[in-house]
Amino acid sequence: PEKKIPVTQPRINFVPLPEEIAEVALFHIANVKDPVVSFGQGCEGEPLMVSATIEKAIKLIRSVTEKGMINLNTNASKPQAVARLFDAGLDSIRVSLNSVRAEYYHRYYRPNAYTFADVIRSIKIAGRKNGFISLNYLVMPGFTDLKQEYLSLKRFIASNDIDMIQWRNMNFDPLKYFKKLRIARPNPDSLMGVREVIDNIHYDFPHLLKGYFNPSRQRIKRFFKK
């Protein structure tokens, strides 16, 4: 208690210039057979907070090469910024969600200066821009496999242009999570089981890619050629 918790990864304390970002990205793209470059990774903060810098970096990258997949891992809080990034050359977006029901999303994420409706708008913009859309879906047994949550996810997928679900195990104390979401400990009769949820979703939506990482262009092509 008397000391700060040490960070596992050191953070830079400045925003890189677009030219610096592009230099790193272009080096990677030039030296990897099927490259993916990505902005943001849950633990690194929200990249849309510096969307103007990222927009310039993407334009610089795309002025040199069309090779590679440029991805954004995001909470999708700023729809207009998302639109500008796709116009600049962004290829894919991965949106983090713990639930597709607004009340439970808000209770967990506690959004500041945006709402779940903004997240939906960002996803729909990505679809209109022909972007590849992944859900970074945070899984908690006892909540994710509630029948109502499953049915809500089905409706969400059907009404949006979702291409992939990255089923992400949530490292969170279950009892604290249920308390935060203000839900009672679930009745076993109301649960499906996580494996059944995943199997049913991919049976009902066979076009959905599933996995744990942002896919490259070649992986996407191989999947959709099946």
Side-chain angles (χ1 to χ4, degrees):
E2 66 277 5
K3 294 182 180 180
K4 291 183 178 180
I5 298 173
V7 295
T8 56
Q9 302 156 331
R11 303 289 191 259
I12 60 174
N13 58 5
F14 65 95
V15 178
L17 296 173
E19 293 79 9
E20 294 172 323
I21 297 170
E23 181 181 5
V24 173
L26 287 168
F27 178 85
H28 178 71
I29 290 171
N31 288 279
V32 175
K33 183 177 181 181
D34 191 19
V36 178
V37 296
S38 189
F39 296 96
Q41 183 71 32
C43 58
E44 295 171 356
E46 175 50 51
L48 290 178
M49 298 296 289
V50 290
S51 61
T53 298
I54 292 174
E55 181 183 0
K56 292 175 183 177
I58 292 175
K59 286 180 178 179
L60 288 170
I61 295 165
R62 287 299 179 226
S63 71
V64 175
T65 182
E66 291 299 314
K67 182 184 176 185
M69 196 88 167
I70 302 179
N71 176 73
L72 182 77
N73 295 330
T74 178
N75 62 18
S77 56
K78 298 177 180 292
Q80 295 311 311
V82 169
R84 291 196 306 272
L85 294 181
F86 274 105
D87 289 341
L90 186 70
D91 297 295
S92 65
I93 188 171
R94 191 188 80 182
V95 179
S96 291
L97 301 166
N98 70 313
S99 175
V100 295
R101 292 188 280 175
E103 59 184 311
Y104 298 114
Y105 176 90
H106 280 257
R107 289 172 188 173
Y108 178 69
Y109 277 90
R110 296 180 296 173
N112 182 9
Y114 79 98
T115 69
F116 187 65
D118 293 308
V119 177
I120 300 297
R121 281 194 284 272
S122 292
I123 290 173
K124 290 189 178 299
I125 285 170
R128 290 198 296 270
K129 301 288 185 181
N130 296 315
F132 186 89
I133 304 171
S134 295
L135 298 183
N136 189 49
Y137 197 54
L138 306 179
V139 174
M140 174 62 75
F143 176 73
T144 306
D145 56 333
L146 284 168
K147 291 175 183 176
Q148 186 57 51
E149 187 69 14
Y150 162 75
L151 293 173
S152 298
L153 179 59
K154 281 187 64 173
R155 289 192 293 268
F156 186 89
I157 294 168
S159 61
N160 294 282
D161 296 314
I162 307 303
D163 297 296
M164 180 179 186
I165 298 184
Q166 297 183 34
W167 301 92
R168 191 79 49 185
N169 50 304
M170 183 183 282
N171 186 18
F172 200 110
D173 183 296
L175 296 182
K176 287 187 177 181
Y177 186 68
F178 297 149
K179 184 177 180 180
K180 180 180 284 285
L181 267 59
R182 300 202 293 274
I183 58 173
R185 191 174 299 186
N187 185 320
D189 292 338
S190 66
L191 299 174
M192 298 173 59
V194 171
R195 177 173 289 182
E196 186 172 349
V197 168
I198 294 173
D199 289 345
N200 285 0
I201 288 293
H202 289 279
Y203 178 82
D204 291 334
F205 302 97
H207 73 281
L208 279 179
L209 188 61
K210 63 180 174 180
Y212 210 75
F213 299 103
N214 296 312
S216 64
R217 284 183 173 174
Q218 289 304 314
R219 185 184 170 203
I220 292 169
K221 287 179 181 179
R222 288 194 299 270
F223 179 81
F224 286 107
K225 283 180 179 179
K226 289 181 181 179

